[in-house]
Amino acid sequence: TTSYLTVEMDDNTGVAVVTMKSPPVNSLSLDFLTEFSISIEKLEMDRKCRGVILTSGLPKVFSAGLDIMEMYGKGPEHCAEFWRAVQEMWLKLYGSNMITIAAVNGSSPAGGCLMAMACDYRIMADNPKYSIGLNETLLGIVAPFWFKDTMMNTIGFRATELALQLGLLHNAPNALRVGLVDELVPEKEVLSAASTAISKWLAIPDHARQITKSMMRKPTIDRLLSHRDQDINNFVSFITKDSIQKSLQVYMERLKQRKT
Ligand code: CO8
């Protein structure tokens, strides 16, 4: 079986580096998401693991977000299974007891931005060519309520209202300005800066930090947990509409034409 990521655990620090490696752009396919959630679950169970640094092993892209091919031309059963896997990834990451740091070493649209926002702290490469944001409306689709909640919890109501309606992809400097990322560092230093940042978090007693994190995030997590099946049904009926399928097709064609 192919592997979409690597996990390197440092037993001295208790920090695992999870490196996403699904060429060409780390899009979140069903198989990718399944492996991702299992990997996070395993680290969660590992008493030696206190923190995770999430990064990309590919040049220029952290993650291109959900794999559009999983949502295009697929039947309702497949769409439902895929959406449950997307939910699971977010529940695992947003609800993790571990310290989670996103080392955003490339562009991170849509689901990629969701992944980064689900972490405790974000460090991005200071390359203005890289962008991050929830651009769903540009695809003619609507970010689900828990994407919106996650962004509101990160950058506040007004910035989210603007970003979501306009489908804003912020370049790295703007992402720092709106608080979508916490730090910009030179591209080559993203991982080392993540190690430096996590040491500050490791100095806090786990128990106090975990309870505090849960206090902040549990209401948002519970909102999805209590509407999980309804959220899947919404996704399936929305994404299988002819008009939405048409929008996705147009978007994919534009993406491919952009090539020079
Ligand atoms: N899914 C599938 N394939 C993709 C995706 C994707 N998300 N992104 C890129 N690809 C493909 C491209 O089509 C291209 O394929 P090919 O080689 O066959 O032409 C290949 O990957 C490489 O892409 P690029 O040439 O564009 O690579 P670049 O390095 O130039 O750019 C980017 C990388 C910036 C990541 C760029 O590819 C991009 O902007 N991609 C689109 C990202 C995007 O818009 N993702 C949104 C996905 S939707 C989502 O995540 C949340 C949906 C919530 C659903 C709610 C519904 C109710």
Side-chain angles (χ1 to χ4, degrees):
T1 59
T2 38
S3 184
Y4 301 92
L5 47 87
T6 57
V7 179
E8 286 163 286
M9 175 75 187
D10 182 335
D11 288 324
N12 292 318
T13 58
V15 174
V17 177
V18 173
T19 307
M20 303 184 279
K21 286 180 187 164
S22 181
V25 291
N26 284 333
S27 67
L28 309 176
S29 64
L30 177 57
D31 289 347
F32 180 108
L33 289 164
T34 304
E35 185 181 355
F36 182 85
S37 293
I38 290 172
S39 301
I40 296 298
E41 176 76 25
K42 276 189 191 154
L43 292 171
E44 202 79 58
M45 310 282 266
D46 183 345
R47 299 203 52 164
K48 293 191 302 296
C49 186
R50 298 178 60 206
V52 169
I53 293 171
L54 178 62
T55 194
S56 165
L58 307 179
K60 298 192 296 181
V61 183
F62 180 73
S63 165
L66 304 191
D67 191 322
I68 295 167
M69 300 321 285
E70 299 278 15
M71 305 185 278
Y72 179 69
K74 295 283 200 286
E77 293 80 13
H78 180 87
C79 290
E81 189 186 3
F82 175 62
W83 197 248
R84 186 173 287 281
V86 179
Q87 292 176 331
E88 194 62 29
M89 172 275 286
W90 178 80
L91 289 166
K92 286 264 150 49
L93 201 54
Y94 200 64
S96 175
N97 270 320
M98 301 179 289
I99 303 157
T100 51
I101 309 271
V104 184
N105 50 351
S107 283
S108 198
C113 176
L114 181 75
M115 267 187 150
M117 289 191 301
C119 293
D120 293 310
Y121 194 77
R122 284 156 290 285
I123 295 170
M124 189 170 184
D126 70 356
N127 186 335
K129 287 189 183 143
Y130 298 160
S131 62
I132 180 168
L134 295 180
N135 60 325
E136 277 74 2
T137 55
L138 300 183
L139 289 78
I141 58 181
V142 179
F145 71 89
W146 44 284
F147 284 48
K148 177 265 297 172
D149 288 344
T150 308
M151 183 172 259
M152 266 176 45
N153 294 350
T154 310
I155 62 173
F157 190 97
R158 179 59 184 156
T160 300
E161 185 170 53
L162 285 173
L164 276 188
Q165 293 192 58
L166 296 172
L168 291 182
L169 286 170
H170 297 284
N171 65 23
N174 283 333
L176 179 67
R177 207 164 298 137
V178 299
L180 197 46
V181 298
D182 300 293
E183 258 181 72
L184 295 188
V185 299
E187 194 151 354
K188 291 211 164 62
E189 292 165 27
V190 175
L191 258 188
S192 59
S195 297
T196 304
I198 207 168
S199 56
K200 203 185 295 177
W201 294 72
L202 288 165
I204 310 297
D206 275 329
H207 191 59
R209 183 191 51 74
Q210 286 163 352
I211 291 173
T212 305
K213 179 172 179 175
S214 166
M215 180 174 70
M216 296 299 293
R217 296 191 171 192
K218 192 170 180 296
T220 308
I221 288 168
D222 285 348
R223 196 152 14 182
L224 176 58
L225 285 177
S226 59
H227 297 100
R228 197 167 177 178
D229 290 325
Q230 192 192 319
D231 182 60
I232 293 173
N233 292 339
N234 282 347
F235 172 77
V236 173
S237 62
F238 183 78
I239 210 74
T240 54
K241 279 194 175 82
D242 287 343
S243 57
I244 301 304
Q245 287 291 309
K246 187 73 200 158
S247 301
L248 287 179
Q249 185 195 338
V250 169
Y251 186 79
M252 276 308 274
E253 277 164 10
R254 240 185 255 151
L255 203 58
K256 293 194 187 293
Q257 275 163 14
R258 209 168 41 86
K259 287 236 171 96
T260 45

